[in-house]
Amino acid sequence: MWTDSDRAAYDRWGLDMESSKALDRYRVPDTGLCWWCREQSASTAEHRFKATDLRQMADVTSSCHPDPSSIFHVGSSYNGVLKTVKKGNAVRWSKSLCKDCNGGRDHKMDASYERYSDYVWNHQNELATARVIDWKVLYGVEWRVWVVDLARYFTKQLGCLLSQQSLPVPDEIIEFMDDKKEVRCLSFEILRDSGRLEFHRMAVERGQDGRGIWMPQAYGWPSRVGDRIEIMGCETYIGFVGMRVEYDANKRRSSIFSARRYKIEDVTCVEPHEVRKIISAEIAKQHAG
């Protein structure tokens, strides 16, 4: 029988975004305006962890409601169990969007992400060995429309991250959000992390549910002359399957999610044997305590 402390050993394994002092010289004053439309007041906060995702992760109470206290969060701004899946700096970015952009213009983007998230969440075993994600299986015959909205959802996350870090949002990102069909300085990759996959397998071995949402540290590099941030990106993992969105001012890609069957790239953030050692040691410590 596994205890709550055993589960906590799994829930605590993860990373969160942190600011970088190396980027301080590029930070800009807060205008108080929405970073997307640049016109209205930034009065709303976008979810960085969607409430729909958190509801899937949470245990269900006797009254059939999600129990936020069953989700452990580790981050630079908050450590501990959640008090709610709807609000607070543990689950939302800072206020950076107006009410028309957040919950209005982004409606199709959110809908596309929710279908993607639901698919990844419920197909972890198949995705452990799959070579591709078939967009038509996920979205149907109109997959070309849906995947662009999915790309815009993750671009929105990058924009909110940059705004929270007081970093400028490039014009090309806003153009893409404003329905420009293709912005060639943006790229998207589907990732499968071997360390998180090992984490998932360890949980299954012990009858645990190891699925979680992970947001590793975002990254940015300045140009050679140091006049701007030239490359910036972030990743979001659902279990061991991640999506990376990257802006590179100097690169020009051919298209966004152009192929129906989109390749899953294998990566290793932490070596699987290291993951097994970390989790085993944490579990042993919890039992000893």
Side-chain angles (χ1 to χ4, degrees):
M1 179 65 67
W2 281 67
T3 66
D4 289 342
S5 62
D6 296 328
R7 176 173 179 169
Y10 286 94
D11 290 343
R12 286 186 176 88
W13 189 80
L15 299 171
D16 197 6
M17 297 179 182
E18 297 176 359
S19 60
S20 171
K21 291 186 177 180
L23 301 178
D24 282 352
R25 63 179 294 186
Y26 305 100
R27 301 190 195 281
V28 294
D30 182 11
T31 64
L33 296 178
C34 170
W35 65 260
W36 183 356
C37 69
R38 296 178 175 175
E39 295 176 353
Q40 298 192 61
S41 173
S43 58
T44 70
E46 165 73 3
H47 275 85
R48 51 177 160 173
F49 300 107
K50 295 286 286 183
T52 49
D53 287 333
L54 297 176
R55 290 190 191 101
Q56 289 190 105
M57 290 175 59
D59 290 341
V60 178
T61 66
S62 57
S63 59
C64 299
H65 292 98
D67 179 11
S69 68
S70 65
I71 303 175
F72 196 93
H73 179 283
V74 176
S76 57
S77 60
Y78 180 88
N79 291 337
V81 297
L82 294 184
K83 298 177 181 178
T84 174
V85 299
K86 294 182 179 180
K87 58 185 179 181
N89 62 8
V91 299
R92 285 184 172 184
W93 300 111
S94 59
K95 290 183 178 180
S96 63
L97 292 168
C98 68
K99 62 180 180 180
D100 289 338
C101 289
N102 187 19
R105 298 174 71 196
D106 64 350
H107 177 72
K108 292 191 296 181
M109 305 170 199
D110 289 351
S112 183
Y113 170 77
E114 287 176 11
R115 285 182 63 168
Y116 165 82
S117 172
D118 185 70
Y119 178 84
V120 174
W121 187 266
N122 291 298
H123 292 79
Q124 292 276 285
N125 290 334
E126 298 97 307
L127 291 171
T129 57
R131 298 179 63 184
V132 300
I133 283 184
D134 189 328
W135 295 126
K136 189 174 182 180
V137 169
L138 204 165
Y139 291 124
V141 295
E142 296 185 346
W143 64 268
R144 290 179 180 84
V145 176
W146 284 86
V147 296
V148 173
D149 284 325
L150 180 67
R152 289 195 174 108
Y153 171 85
F154 284 104
T155 303
K156 178 178 62 168
Q157 292 292 306
L158 179 58
C160 289
L161 182 154
L162 294 172
S163 180
Q164 178 162 302
Q165 296 296 333
S166 299
L167 295 169
V169 180
D171 291 341
E172 296 97 329
I173 284 180
I174 294 174
E175 289 171 3
F176 182 53
M177 296 293 291
D178 282 339
D179 291 334
K180 187 172 182 179
K181 297 302 181 184
E182 187 173 341
V183 177
R184 295 176 181 247
C185 57
L186 283 169
S187 67
F188 302 84
E189 290 180 281
I190 302 173
L191 311 173
R192 176 171 50 217
D193 175 37
S194 60
R196 290 184 174 85
L197 177 55
E198 183 67 12
F199 170 72
H200 171 76
R201 286 170 172 161
M202 283 190 72
V204 171
E205 288 171 8
R206 291 160 174 79
Q208 294 291 103
D209 187 344
R211 293 174 297 179
I213 308 296
W214 322 100
M215 299 188 77
Q217 185 173 342
Y219 57 90
W221 285 284
S223 64
R224 289 185 178 181
V225 296
D227 61 337
R228 61 177 176 169
I229 304 175
E230 199 163 75
I231 300 172
M232 55 193 78
C234 62
E235 300 171 5
T236 301
Y237 280 86
I238 302 170
F240 51 82
V241 178
M243 181 73 75
R244 176 190 293 152
V245 53
E246 182 177 276
Y247 169 87
D248 187 332
N250 292 324
K251 281 192 177 180
R252 295 294 178 264
R253 282 87 171 188
S254 60
S255 190
I256 293 171
F257 295 146
S258 57
R260 170 185 156 184
R261 296 178 178 87
Y262 207 76
K263 183 180 178 182
I264 300 173
E265 303 287 346
D266 287 302
V267 298
T268 300
C269 298
V270 182
E271 291 290 342
H273 70 273
E274 288 294 327
V275 173
R276 188 166 285 269
K277 183 165 64 175
I278 291 168
I279 298 300
S280 297
E282 182 67 21
I283 291 173
K285 184 171 69 174
Q286 294 288 347
H287 281 300

